[in-house]
Amino acid sequence: MLSWADKMIPEYIKGRQDLKKRADQVDRDNSIEMNDLKQLNSMIDSMTYSLEWMTTGRQPNTYRGVDEKAVYQRRSYENIDLIPDIAEQLEENDVNKKHLFMTREEKVILADILSSFSLRERQCYILHVGQKKSMSEIAYELGVSKSMVQQSIRRAKSKIEERMDKKSMIYA
C-alpha cells in the first residue's frame, strides 16, 4: 500500500521537470525574465528539498538530530482496522455456527476500552493480541525497547480488567 508521500513523489518530479524546462527557455538578456529565473530556481530548489525529504523520510541536510529514518515508510498501528478478521478461519461446515457481529452494547464497551488506552498501549496491544506478534517484533517495528512494549501491554490489560470489573458491577 502506497503512502501519501509515495503518491506525491511522481507529481513533484514532473513539476520539477516542467520548471527546469521553463527555466531553460528564459531569455538571459532580459532583466524582467531574469527575475522570473530567480523565482523559478527558488521553486526548483524547494521541490528538490521536498522530494529528498519524501524519498528518504529524513529532513535534508540534517546530519545530527532527532529525525527518524524512513518515517513515512512505516505503517501506522493506531488504526483499529488492523485487528484481523477471523471469518475466513471458520469452517464452512461448522455445526455450531456463530454469527460474527457485535451488539451495540459490545461496540460501546470495546470503544470505551480502546479509548482508555494511550496511543502506545493501543499499538502494542493490537499488534500483540490481534496480530499475534512477539514483543520483540513489536519493539522493532515501533522503534521502542522490548520493556516499553511489555509495560504498555501490561497497562492495557490492567485497563481492560478495570473496565470489565466496572461493567460487571453495573450489570450485577
Side-chain angles (χ1 to χ4, degrees):
M1 186 169 142
L2 294 176
S3 71
W4 64 269
D6 294 329
K7 293 175 186 175
M8 290 185 68
I9 289 171
E11 293 177 29
Y12 270 69
I13 290 172
K14 180 163 181 3
R16 186 176 61 177
Q17 287 172 346
D18 293 344
L19 287 171
K20 285 181 179 179
K21 285 179 188 174
R22 175 65 182 108
D24 290 340
Q25 296 170 354
V26 169
D27 180 16
R28 307 228 190 275
D29 295 330
N30 187 341
S31 62
I32 296 173
E33 286 196 28
M34 285 304 288
N35 286 334
D36 290 347
L37 181 61
K38 287 180 185 177
Q39 289 295 323
L40 288 168
N41 285 334
S42 174
M43 291 164 53
I44 291 169
D45 288 343
S46 178
M47 291 186 90
T48 302
Y49 183 86
S50 299
L51 271 167
E52 187 177 342
W53 197 324
M54 286 187 281
T55 55
T56 63
R58 299 183 72 143
Q59 183 176 353
N61 305 323
T62 301
Y63 302 106
R64 297 174 68 182
V66 289
D67 61 332
E68 191 173 341
K69 186 173 185 179
V71 69
Y72 299 128
Q73 282 74 35
R74 290 184 182 234
R75 284 181 67 185
S76 174
Y77 293 109
E78 57 196 57
N79 193 338
I80 195 167
D81 295 336
L82 292 173
I83 297 175
D85 182 15
I86 61 165
E88 301 123 17
Q89 298 173 4
L90 297 175
E91 298 277 334
E92 294 265 339
N93 55 6
D94 190 5
V95 178
N96 299 325
K97 261 194 177 178
K98 183 179 178 184
H99 292 285
L100 295 176
F101 67 92
M102 294 174 69
T103 64
R104 183 179 182 334
E105 181 182 316
E106 291 170 331
K107 288 178 184 177
V108 169
I109 292 170
L110 180 62
D112 181 49
I113 290 170
L114 290 175
S115 68
S116 71
F117 293 174
S118 69
L119 174 61
R120 179 72 68 219
E121 291 167 350
R122 188 169 44 253
Q123 291 170 330
C124 293
Y125 187 80
I126 289 173
L127 287 171
H128 184 65
V129 175
Q131 299 286 327
K132 303 289 185 205
K133 293 193 179 229
S134 72
M135 292 185 192
S136 299
E137 290 174 318
I138 297 168
Y140 177 76
E141 286 187 34
L142 297 179
V144 297
S145 67
K146 184 179 172 185
S147 62
M148 170 63 85
V149 173
Q150 290 170 328
Q151 185 179 23
S152 297
I153 292 171
R154 188 172 33 253
R155 278 194 208 132
K157 286 181 178 180
S158 70
K159 286 181 180 180
I160 290 172
E161 288 177 19
E162 181 182 306
R163 299 274 184 193
M164 294 312 292
D165 288 343
K166 284 182 185 177
K167 298 297 178 200
S168 64
M169 290 171 66
I170 291 171
Y171 295 115

